Amino acid sequence: MGASGLRVGDQAILEPQGLQALIHLLARSGYRVVGPTVRDGAIVYDEIASTEDLPVGWTVDQAPGSYRLTKRRDGAFFSFSVGSHSWKQFLHPPLLTLFRARRSDGRLLIRPDESNAPRFAFMGVRPCDLAAIAIQDRVLLGGRYANASYQARRSGAFLVAVNCGEPGGVCFCQSMGTGPKAAGGFDLALTEVTERKRHFFLVDVGSEAGGAMAAQIPRLPVEDEHIQAAERALARAADKMGRTLPTEGLKEALQQSYDHPRWEAVAGRCLTCGNCTAVCPTCFCTTVEDSTDLMGDSAERRLRWDSCFNVDFSYIFGGSVRPSAPARYRQWMLHKLATWRDQFGTPGCVGCGRCITWCPVGIDITEEARAIRAGEPDGKEQAHGNA
């Protein structure tokens, strides 16, 4: 194919060397390219320079409270489900300096943070995480007051999605309508195919910027067999979802269950550690902290992630609104699956399953929702085998 631009909706075929060319082109275009890579026994998101940095030939086994890397027999680049990291850490950093203040000659000088926001290119964004970014867009950019830091990072981001061909044992994106195929919100979307000794990517153009970028890299025309192979890969993924979460009537069922004994049962296991909110790609709660030097001449104000599982998070004059573990777990789950709809028009859950995998005691949000809907108080999650 020639060097003419590609339009939104166009398709092309990339071979592995074409993906390498895309990474290099993005870097030369001034982007900080971030993608999945293997580190410390897990697949995490970090800066990458080539396809050699990707988790080639790796996949993961995930279950409640369990995560393990395993080798594949093929050379697939993206045949794994999401890990503990999400793209939230780059767009909505866990720690952000808002301003610095200094006392000088009897005057107080306040200097806002003026560091330039990085220009990110995200390589390998799963459809569930695309949906999570769209949710955070509504939360942090919608309404009258936009989050300036998020806006600066988000406006310059280039998103290369990868449709899911290998869901994990805790994934339920199909139930939430967020996968396994990306519906939008990307500049380019890739579907990786490794079958019959072939390895290629079907590319869908999702924006003018994506079309302009794809026009500059080696690519091949799309044949019917390419489309059919990609469709087979997505169909297999849809059949391999590790969890389900029926959502019809769920909001109403949860909101009618504030006094359900299940909250006490699950809180008997919950450590209120906040792991689920830290790994969740949509949780956005923060707190502000001030610090000063010993002489009181300089100070700094920082924004950092917080969690509704922290007892101080709901502290107001006179004490915490939610002092007990059952109340805090109920707040988190009802916000995700019920009241988030009232606030932002969608659930706050995208079905990625991170909260299940990275819960130290393996609490499963899909099982808790099912049990409350069914009126079960006993807390014996594993007895029902929600697989």
Side-chain angles (χ1 to χ4, degrees):
M1 297 180 69
S4 59
L6 299 178
R7 296 173 297 179
V8 175
D10 285 349
Q11 293 182 309
I13 296 297
L14 286 189
E15 294 183 324
Q17 60 267 29
L19 185 63
Q20 175 73 66
L22 176 60
I23 294 173
H24 285 171
L25 177 60
L26 288 167
R28 291 197 308 271
S29 300
Y31 289 102
R32 178 184 169 190
V33 184
V34 177
T37 191
V38 175
R39 190 177 70 221
D40 298 330
I43 295 175
V44 301
Y45 297 138
D46 205 346
E47 200 160 352
I48 61 172
S50 72
T51 54
E52 294 180 0
D53 296 325
L54 297 173
V56 181
W58 287 101
T59 190
V60 296
D61 291 331
Q62 297 194 60
S66 173
Y67 178 98
R68 182 168 61 92
L69 280 179
T70 59
K71 265 293 189 180
R72 292 173 59 90
R73 294 182 178 179
D74 58 18
F77 292 176
F78 298 104
S79 287
F80 51 86
S81 52
V82 296
S84 61
H85 281 194
S86 74
W87 308 98
K88 177 178 74 172
Q89 66 180 312
F90 303 103
L91 298 176
H92 183 45
L95 190 64
L96 182 70
T97 298
L98 298 177
F99 66 78
R100 295 179 175 89
R102 184 169 186 81
R103 195 194 313 274
S104 178
D105 297 328
R107 300 173 58 197
L108 185 63
L109 305 177
I110 296 178
R111 180 167 54 88
D113 182 66
E114 297 177 347
S115 57
N116 293 326
R119 190 167 174 240
F120 289 114
F122 294 155
M123 175 68 61
V125 185
R126 296 297 184 182
C128 59
D129 278 345
L130 278 178
I133 291 172
I135 288 173
Q136 290 229 314
D137 286 350
R138 286 193 291 275
V139 173
L140 299 174
L141 299 180
R144 185 175 177 182
Y145 301 103
N147 182 303
S149 170
Y150 183 89
Q151 188 172 46
R153 293 165 180 265
R154 179 69 178 91
S155 62
F158 187 96
L159 304 186
V160 181
V162 172
N163 290 321
C164 186
E166 192 69 34
V170 297
C171 294
F172 55 102
C173 67
Q174 190 174 31
S175 294
M176 306 310 294
T178 61
K181 183 177 181 180
F186 54 83
D187 294 294
L188 296 173
L190 312 178
T191 304
E192 185 173 24
V193 175
T194 55
E195 66 175 29
R196 301 171 188 172
K197 298 183 179 181
R198 297 181 303 173
H199 189 186
F200 64 86
F201 300 90
L202 175 65
V203 182
D204 287 280
V205 177
S207 72
E208 292 183 3
M213 200 66 68
Q216 301 178 60
I217 58 177
R219 61 195 191 281
L220 300 172
V222 178
E223 307 290 346
D224 287 344
E225 62 176 314
H226 296 132
I227 296 175
Q228 293 166 5
E231 289 176 347
R232 287 194 296 271
L234 292 175
R236 288 194 296 269
D239 291 339
K240 291 169 66 176
M241 291 287 157
R243 293 289 189 276
T244 60
L245 180 61
T247 57
E248 184 176 356
L250 180 59
K251 174 180 181 290
E252 294 75 17
L254 291 173
Q255 289 180 320
Q256 294 168 9
S257 303
Y258 277 84
D259 296 322
H260 198 289
R262 187 74 176 196
W263 303 122
E264 293 285 348
V266 71
R269 301 167 57 208
C270 177
L271 305 177
T272 65
C273 64
N275 264 20
C276 51
T277 60
V279 299
C280 177
T282 67
C283 278
F284 58 88
C285 292
T286 57
T287 189
V288 173
E289 58 185 18
D290 295 325
S291 60
T292 63
D293 65 1
L294 292 176
M295 300 300 294
D297 291 328
S298 63
E300 183 176 270
R301 173 164 290 182
R302 295 183 296 180
L303 193 77
R304 67 169 175 83
W305 288 355
D306 204 349
S307 171
C308 55
F309 279 93
N310 294 334
V311 67
D312 289 340
F313 183 78
S314 64
Y315 184 90
I316 59 174
F317 181 77
S320 175
V321 174
R322 303 183 189 95
S324 68
R328 297 201 293 278
Y329 185 87
R330 182 182 62 196
Q331 152 66 20
W332 173 75
M333 185 167 158
L334 261 71
H335 192 205
K336 284 288 163 193
L337 300 177
T339 57
W340 201 299
R341 286 184 179 272
D342 298 327
Q343 284 183 285
F344 306 112
T346 66
C349 174
V350 295
C352 68
R354 288 181 174 96
C355 61
I356 304 172
T357 295
W358 299 98
C359 174
V361 295
I363 296 173
D364 183 339
I365 189 174
T366 66
E367 177 62 22
E368 295 309 314
R370 187 204 60 77
I372 287 176
R373 191 200 290 264
E376 298 178 13
D378 57 18
K380 297 178 181 179
E381 284 76 18
Q382 302 306 316
H384 303 282
N386 185 11

